[in-house]
Amino acid sequence: MYGLMGEDGERISVKLDDLLNQRRMTLTQLSERVGLTIANLSILKTGKAKAIRFSTLRAICRELDCQPGDLLIYDP
């Protein structure tokens, strides 16, 4: 699980790697299904993304059969 830490020490963590492992899916397979590049998904997966579009979040949740809260965690 990786996340981006804000200046105030708070973090939003991304559990994409965990969900992919649970679903036995590769980043390449998810990339093909949601129409995003592997590079962009990798940025999200490693917590280096500064934002995520709702359309991207919706597509990932659809393909991984999950809720946004399964993918993102707020860590104060």
Side-chain angles (χ1 to χ4, degrees):
M1 180 168 41
Y2 300 94
L4 180 66
M5 187 173 294
E7 294 175 10
D8 52 8
E10 295 176 333
R11 177 188 307 257
I12 297 291
S13 298
V14 181
K15 298 186 349 178
L16 183 57
D17 207 27
D18 295 340
L19 288 171
L20 287 170
N21 286 333
Q22 290 172 8
R23 305 303 192 272
R24 299 192 192 313
M25 187 183 298
T26 67
L27 199 61
T28 301
Q29 290 170 322
L30 182 62
S31 169
E32 292 168 354
R33 291 180 182 192
V34 299
L36 292 171
T37 66
I38 294 172
N40 283 338
L41 281 176
S42 182
I43 289 169
L44 180 62
K45 182 179 132 177
T46 59
K48 294 178 182 173
K50 297 193 185 283
I52 184 171
R53 292 180 183 202
F54 280 115
S55 58
T56 299
L57 184 58
R58 195 169 42 245
I60 291 171
C61 287
R62 179 188 67 234
E63 293 304 323
L64 294 178
D65 190 29
C66 69
Q67 295 294 315
D70 298 329
L71 182 66
L72 305 172
I73 295 179
Y74 170 69
D75 187 15

